[in-house]
Amino acid sequence: MNPCQSCGACCATYRVTFHRGELDDLGGCVPAALTEQVTAVMACMRGTGAAPVRCAALRGEIGRDVSCAIYEFRPSPCREFGALAAVGQGDEACNDARRRHGLPPLEAT
């Protein structure tokens, strides 16, 4: 099983900021209804802009069973984060998020 499906720590640790051009109402694919405007050109996923952090698209219980409600339409930072985490190799940011939620680190890349 993909370790990300039993983790979700990144979605409840970091602000997910990206260019507003990724929003569906501006021609992209990220559902604008699940975002907040940060600046004139930047947006973030709702729930990640202030503590406690938890992305509005995250479903399930961190560390047990999670999924992204907009996985196919997630923004670029989510697509790029922890590129090898899905195969059990965490990087520094992935393992930091896991530690913050009481989860053991994945094998370093």
Side-chain angles (χ1 to χ4, degrees), residues 8 17 21 27 48-49 52 58 61 68 82 84 86 97:
T17 306
T48 69
L58 180 63
E61 183 181 343
C68 175
L84 295 176

Side-chain angles (χ1 to χ4, degrees), residues 8-96:
C10 58
C11 306
T13 300
Y14 302 115
R15 183 166 88 170
V16 181
T17 306
F18 54 94
H19 191 275
R20 292 187 71 235
E22 293 188 49
L23 299 175
D24 60 0
D25 61 359
L26 295 175
C29 64
V30 180
L34 292 178
T35 69
E36 300 172 343
Q37 186 168 335
V38 175
T39 68
V41 296
M42 301 300 287
C44 73
M45 290 302 297
R46 189 166 25 97
T48 69
V53 174
R54 185 177 172 105
C55 181
L58 180 63
R59 301 289 180 255
E61 183 181 343
I62 295 172
R64 296 188 49 86
D65 183 27
V66 295
S67 65
C68 175
I70 61 164
Y71 186 80
E72 294 298 320
F73 306 106
R74 68 197 188 281
S76 56
C78 300
R79 292 176 186 279
E80 297 163 3
F81 187 87
L84 295 176
V87 294
Q89 294 181 328
D91 59 20
E92 186 176 332
C94 170
N95 285 330
D96 179 57

